[in-house]
Amino acid sequence: MRTARTLFEKVWDSHTATSRGTRDLLTVDRVLLHDMTSLPAFELLRERNLPVAETGRTLAVIDHTVATAPGRTEETYPVMAPTVRSFRREVIGRGIQLFGLGDPSQGIVHVVAAEQGAILPGMTAVCGDSHTCTNGALGAIAFGIGSTEIAHSLAYQALWLPRPKSLRVTVDGLLNPLVSGKDIALAIISRFSTDGGVGCAVEYAGSAIRRLTVEERMTLCNLSIEFGSRIGLIAPDDAVFSYLEGRPRTPKGAAFDDAVAAWRRLASDDEAPYDKEYSLDASSIAPMVTWGTSPEDAIAVDASIPQLDQARNPAQRSRWERALSYVKLQPGSPMVGTPIDVAFIGSCTNARLSDLRAAARVVKGRKVAQTVRALVVPGSSSVKRQAEAEGLDQIFRSAGFEWHESACSLCVSLGPDVVGRGKRCASTSNRNFENRQGPGSITHLMSPPMVAAAALTGSITDIRSFA
């Protein structure tokens, strides 16, 4: 074992029970479950007559397939109601804690896990969802897995995995005050591509990263999978320790102080080598927006869509042509002024309290454009209550936004919320794939303030010039 190690290596090594060739048996501290991907895992457990090894290390939420309209129940969306009922029965029957509809802590799995203190620095966590990497913002190794791997994790609390390579992305300098963690993520992906992190665990470092709030770090780590990496993480610091203190599943009193002392040792050693390194100047990052059908298709909001002859190779040119045909835009055209039909503030990427506050500051005292349907879907019921206590819901409602219950909603459109065929959505979510927000939908990813500005003007707007 090397003397100087990265944060990733310290956590991975401490959870490696044994190794065989290029694969390690990684012990799993936390298994997260949601209603969309877990039922096949339970079926596999049943076929093999296997119990859940440690129910106390597992938590479950209902988030992906349910309605978000006020007053919703499990039956509001009848298409997926049988799935939700089956999931609830499986989880409760096996003694796993469930944050279901009506629970005061219900919400999107990657929001709830952090709120509960279920993910702590130095932990390993898995979930049947690719955006599990969100939790790496707390200094944990967290990643998405398939349904078969969920079953193995539940039964054995361990997984055989190939050891990823290490990649450090350093962002130094000062950000424009209107540039956020979302913009950093899109800038990284657009510059280094959606393949830039393939096969790697990516650690975000640098002065600009250290100045991000914990919730902005979650946004950045959330988009690691769009960078090609299953694992994205940031060294824990005082901001993380303050965020975690007092949460339901965190240690208390002297035990918390002891935990913090151990967590401080998780930072990468100064001389630790990385397999790959990228860097960005924070001052060069502008508010970003996507123009195509991949998070890689992102540009500064005041820039124009690239010309086809700017493609790196024929394959990229062909993909750009298809993307532009799908989104009904032209090479060289500006993004500012592109009309939108829907504005969505939500998802595990950008629906935490700080995101809603940032959007509300833009919205306050203004009105949504008459041509736009605008909705806010808080990341959890806790976020919703806190926002209501601050009066944020009234700011949004007065402006013409819909105020919804917590769930995944328009991020993935597995429930009744859809953008509509041919409709264009300004979205705080994480993917702008074809049909992602419903059949024929067109998605432009951006930060919460940018979505708020687009909702008010009826078109994509540079938040820096918004008045």
Side-chain angles (χ1 to χ4, degrees):
M1 189 180 296
R2 293 199 301 244
T3 302
R5 294 184 295 161
T6 66
L7 163 62
F8 165 75
E9 289 171 327
K10 290 179 181 182
V11 180
W12 187 278
D13 292 346
S14 69
H15 288 79
T16 300
T18 188
S19 301
R20 291 179 185 170
T22 61
R23 299 173 73 82
D24 297 333
L25 182 62
L26 193 75
T27 58
V28 175
D29 293 315
R30 188 76 68 213
V31 182
L32 311 173
L33 305 173
H34 66 70
D35 45 308
M36 190 61 213
T37 58
S38 302
L39 286 178
F42 287 130
E43 183 61 31
L44 188 57
L45 292 181
R46 195 157 32 251
E47 289 174 3
R48 299 183 181 182
N49 197 29
L50 292 170
V52 174
E54 298 190 50
T55 57
R57 293 191 178 193
T58 305
L59 65 82
V61 307
I62 294 173
D63 62 357
H64 271 62
T65 64
V66 292
T68 64
R72 56 88 192 271
T73 68
E74 290 182 2
E75 305 300 321
T76 301
Y77 185 49
V79 174
M80 296 303 294
T83 297
V84 175
R85 288 195 299 269
S86 296
F87 175 72
R88 174 171 44 77
R89 285 195 297 267
E90 290 278 6
V91 168
I92 293 175
R94 294 174 185 273
I96 297 168
Q97 184 176 13
L98 173 66
F99 298 99
L101 302 192
D103 188 292
S105 297
Q106 178 272 341
I108 304 171
V109 63
H110 311 308
V111 178
V112 171
E115 287 179 343
Q116 291 294 308
I119 309 295
L120 301 175
M123 274 189 169
T124 56
V126 297
C127 177
D129 189 292
S130 59
H131 293 102
T132 306
C133 48
T134 306
N135 299 288
L138 302 173
I141 288 177
F143 53 95
I145 56 177
S147 295
T148 300
E149 289 178 308
I150 296 172
H152 281 264
S153 299
L154 290 170
Y156 304 113
Q157 213 70 38
L159 286 172
W160 281 103
L161 297 164
R163 186 188 188 96
K165 293 182 178 181
S166 60
L167 164 64
R168 179 167 61 184
V169 178
T170 303
V171 186
D172 280 319
L174 292 174
L175 292 170
N176 180 296
L178 294 174
V179 170
S180 67
K182 181 66 159 288
D183 301 304
I184 295 175
L186 291 176
I188 290 170
I189 298 166
S190 65
R191 178 165 177 177
F192 301 111
S193 88
T194 51
D195 294 331
V198 169
C200 298
V202 56
E203 179 182 347
Y204 301 99
S207 59
I209 303 301
R210 290 193 296 273
R211 280 191 286 268
L212 293 177
T213 67
V214 174
E215 295 192 345
E216 282 189 290
R217 297 177 195 184
M218 290 176 183
T219 298
L220 175 58
C221 287
N222 175 276
L223 285 156
S224 298
I225 189 64
E226 317 309 334
F227 184 39
S229 177
R230 294 173 71 190
I231 299 169
L233 67 172
I234 298 171
D237 57 13
D238 286 338
V240 170
F241 309 149
S242 296
Y243 174 89
L244 290 171
E245 188 171 11
R247 296 190 179 273
R249 292 201 180 200
T250 57
K252 302 297 186 292
F256 182 78
D257 296 335
D258 291 343
V260 168
W263 295 339
R264 290 190 188 281
R265 297 194 289 270
L266 291 175
S268 293
D269 298 325
D270 291 340
E271 302 303 317
Y274 293 80
D275 295 298
K276 294 170 67 176
E277 296 235 28
Y278 299 143
S279 62
L280 278 177
D281 175 5
S283 65
S284 71
I285 302 174
M288 302 289 288
V289 60
T290 59
W291 56 264
T293 56
S294 165
E296 181 181 326
D297 302 336
I299 54 175
V301 64
D302 59 347
S304 298
I305 296 169
Q307 298 286 351
L308 294 177
D309 59 10
Q310 293 177 259
R312 292 189 297 269
N313 51 53
Q316 186 179 62
R317 181 187 176 106
S318 177
R319 191 185 66 75
W320 283 5
E321 288 175 335
R322 176 185 172 118
L324 287 167
S325 175
Y326 182 83
V327 301
K328 300 178 175 61
L329 295 175
Q330 297 298 317
S333 62
M335 288 304 297
V336 169
T338 303
I340 67 160
D341 304 289
V342 179
F344 171 59
I345 298 173
S347 87
C348 60
T349 310
N350 275 129
R352 296 173 181 84
L353 187 61
S354 59
D355 298 313
L356 304 193
R357 287 170 175 162
R361 285 194 291 269
V362 176
V363 168
K364 189 173 184 179
R366 297 181 167 103
K367 295 291 184 182
V368 170
Q370 292 184 352
T371 56
V372 174
R373 178 196 179 197
L375 60 161
V376 179
V377 184
S380 72
S381 296
S382 297
V383 168
K384 182 173 183 285
R385 281 196 311 278
Q386 292 167 16
E388 289 171 348
E390 295 181 14
L392 302 185
D393 62 317
Q394 292 303 317
I395 291 174
F396 286 117
R397 285 173 166 148
S398 295
F401 279 79
E402 300 171 20
W403 182 252
H404 283 233
E405 303 288 346
S406 174
C408 294
S409 185
L410 277 178
C411 175
V412 65
S413 291
L414 290 170
D417 296 341
V418 295
V419 165
R421 188 174 295 277
K423 300 291 186 180
R424 194 178 301 276
C425 181
S427 179
T428 66
S429 53
N430 42 53
R431 287 181 173 158
N432 54 335
F433 301 163
E434 293 183 17
N435 307 304
R436 172 73 176 184
Q437 295 188 294
S441 59
I442 300 169
T443 303
H444 297 286
L445 304 177
M446 59 193 82
S447 69
M450 287 273 288
V451 170
L456 300 173
T457 61
S459 62
I460 293 173
T461 300
D462 188 340
I463 189 64
R464 295 169 299 182
S465 61
F466 185 75

